Amino acid sequence: MSLKTIAKFLLFVIPVLSAAACSATRSNVPDENAVSPYAAPILVGTIRSGDITEASGIAASRCQQNVLWTHNDSGDDAYIFAVAPSGQGLGTWKVTDARNIDWEDIAAYKSTAGKCYLYIGEIGDNKRKRDVHTIYRVAEPIVTPDDARSDRKHPLATTAAQAVNFTYPDYAQDAETLMVNPKNAEIYVVTKRISGPAGVYKVDNNFENADVRVAQKIAEITVPAIPNGFVTGGDISPDGRRVVICDYTAAYEWTLPDGDANFDNIWRQPPVTIDIGQRKGGEAVAYSVDGSSIFSTSEGKEPPIFEARGKK
């Protein structure tokens, strides 16, 4: 969702929903007395590439140190961009056999065989008129120093992307959060709702099956902001025991209890609110490769990169 669209939306929605949202019953609301496990966010970089104007997702490579992946929102072609945490451009790739109608998030995954992939969520639907959505999986490009010369006019090319097509079991929905469990490659999509809690859906991860799959709804979550289901990005920690989800105000982290091996029980826990920096249209959040910190960025020209580092 563009910054202009966000501004128009908030001017209309917030006055309408404020009274109702404040009195609504919410589940898993963050404990106001809980202390964030992260230090105050630090501005570590600025993305100065003119090709990146609506960074709608961010992911830290699981195979390459100091490599972050991002992409533009709707209106761009199927490009992914590698940047350093400092914001320095590392390369531009066009994703083969993919198209960008409304890309909203990106996730990184490392298989048990040591192969790294990027998952891209073609999951946006502001008008809620699309029946089928797509998640692309592509082998993560290996970044070399020479790749920094590439750009949208002269991009490199990825290997062919694979796709999973899915639909929701209830009704057409907009979503901006795509996550992949590092332990088993299960795919999660969290919807973006105006009038209620966000839905958490699990999507079949068999990329060899061309059929349209029906996602499975497994939970609902709310955040303190208004609207309370208006979430814009997320990630699962490399150890598979934490989830971070952001909105335009802050981020929220869920933690799986010690000894619990069922990841889906994480949604039953109360999250902790995390400060991830002052962002304009903040739709992108991701754990670092070792899970010790959280990166965030936002839409707009020359967006900042913040890092909130764990206190431990």
Side-chain angles (χ1 to χ4, degrees), residues 60-72:
S61 171
R62 298 297 187 253
C63 283
Q64 303 174 89
Q65 290 291 329
N66 298 317
V67 174
L68 303 175
W69 292 95
T70 188
H71 59 84
N72 285 319

Side-chain angles (χ1 to χ4, degrees), residues 116-163:
C116 274
Y117 296 92
L118 298 174
Y119 290 64
I120 303 164
E122 175 61 90
I123 54 178
D125 186 11
N126 292 331
K127 296 181 179 179
R128 293 168 178 81
K129 291 185 176 181
R130 298 172 61 190
D131 292 328
V132 178
H133 298 273
T134 301
I135 296 167
Y136 293 109
R137 183 180 72 174
V138 63
E140 179 181 334
I142 297 174
V143 180
T144 69
D146 289 341
D147 296 338
R149 302 173 185 173
S150 59
D151 56 22
R152 291 178 76 257
K153 292 182 179 180
H154 305 93
L156 302 163
T158 71
T159 59
Q162 296 174 290

Side-chain angles (χ1 to χ4, degrees), residues 1-311:
M1 181 180 286
S2 68
L3 293 174
K4 187 179 294 184
T5 302
I6 292 167
K8 290 180 179 178
F9 170 82
L10 293 177
L11 286 172
F12 172 77
V13 170
I14 289 179
V16 174
L17 294 183
S18 292
C22 288
S23 61
T25 299
R26 298 174 182 173
S27 60
N28 300 338
V29 175
D31 181 354
E32 295 181 358
N33 298 317
V35 177
S36 171
Y38 297 89
I42 301 170
L43 177 64
V44 294
T46 301
I47 299 175
R48 302 195 183 278
S49 169
D51 290 340
I52 304 172
T53 57
E54 290 191 73
S56 189
I58 191 170
S61 171
R62 298 297 187 253
C63 283
Q64 303 174 89
Q65 290 291 329
N66 298 317
V67 174
L68 303 175
W69 292 95
T70 188
H71 59 84
N72 285 319
D73 205 329
S74 59
D76 198 9
D77 208 333
Y79 297 106
I80 54 173
F81 308 93
V83 299
S86 65
Q88 176 188 355
L90 301 178
T92 300
W93 283 260
K94 190 168 186 181
V95 181
T96 304
D97 294 342
R99 61 175 182 161
N100 181 350
I101 298 174
D102 196 352
W103 286 9
E104 290 292 356
D105 207 358
I106 187 169
Y109 172 74
K110 184 177 183 179
S111 73
T112 55
K115 187 173 180 59
C116 274
Y117 296 92
L118 298 174
Y119 290 64
I120 303 164
E122 175 61 90
I123 54 178
D125 186 11
N126 292 331
K127 296 181 179 179
R128 293 168 178 81
K129 291 185 176 181
R130 298 172 61 190
D131 292 328
V132 178
H133 298 273
T134 301
I135 296 167
Y136 293 109
R137 183 180 72 174
V138 63
E140 179 181 334
I142 297 174
V143 180
T144 69
D146 289 341
D147 296 338
R149 302 173 185 173
S150 59
D151 56 22
R152 291 178 76 257
K153 292 182 179 180
H154 305 93
L156 302 163
T158 71
T159 59
Q162 296 174 290
V164 161
N165 298 306
F166 74 97
T167 187
Y168 292 101
D170 31 33
Y171 48 87
Q173 301 205 55
D174 184 26
E176 296 190 2
T177 302
L178 168 70
M179 302 181 292
V180 179
N181 190 324
K183 298 300 182 181
N184 53 22
E186 289 185 331
I187 300 170
Y188 293 83
V189 171
V190 183
T191 59
K192 180 181 182 183
R193 289 196 62 197
I194 298 171
S195 57
V200 180
Y201 294 82
K202 188 182 294 186
V203 180
D204 180 12
N205 61 2
N206 181 3
F207 282 87
E208 305 302 323
N209 184 351
D211 296 337
V212 176
R213 265 60 64 81
V214 178
Q216 175 190 3
K217 186 174 184 179
I218 60 172
E220 290 186 339
I221 58 171
T222 63
V223 298
I226 299 171
N228 65 347
F230 209 63
V231 300
T232 60
D235 196 16
I236 298 174
S237 63
D239 64 2
R241 302 199 65 81
R242 290 170 291 147
V243 167
V244 63
I245 288 177
C246 70
D247 59 14
Y248 296 126
T249 304
Y252 314 91
E253 186 175 62
W254 285 255
T255 301
L256 192 65
D258 290 340
D260 193 337
N262 183 357
F263 177 79
D264 288 342
N265 287 336
I266 201 168
W267 309 110
R268 300 179 181 179
Q269 313 309 314
V272 175
T273 301
I274 300 169
D275 180 2
I276 55 172
Q278 296 297 314
R279 303 157 298 137
K280 296 180 180 179
E283 297 189 359
V285 64
Y287 286 101
S288 61
V289 65
D290 64 358
S292 66
S293 62
I294 295 173
F295 290 106
S296 63
T297 189
S298 59
E299 295 187 340
K301 294 182 179 179
E302 298 191 353
I305 297 178
F306 290 100
E307 183 179 11
R309 296 169 181 168
K311 294 178 181 178

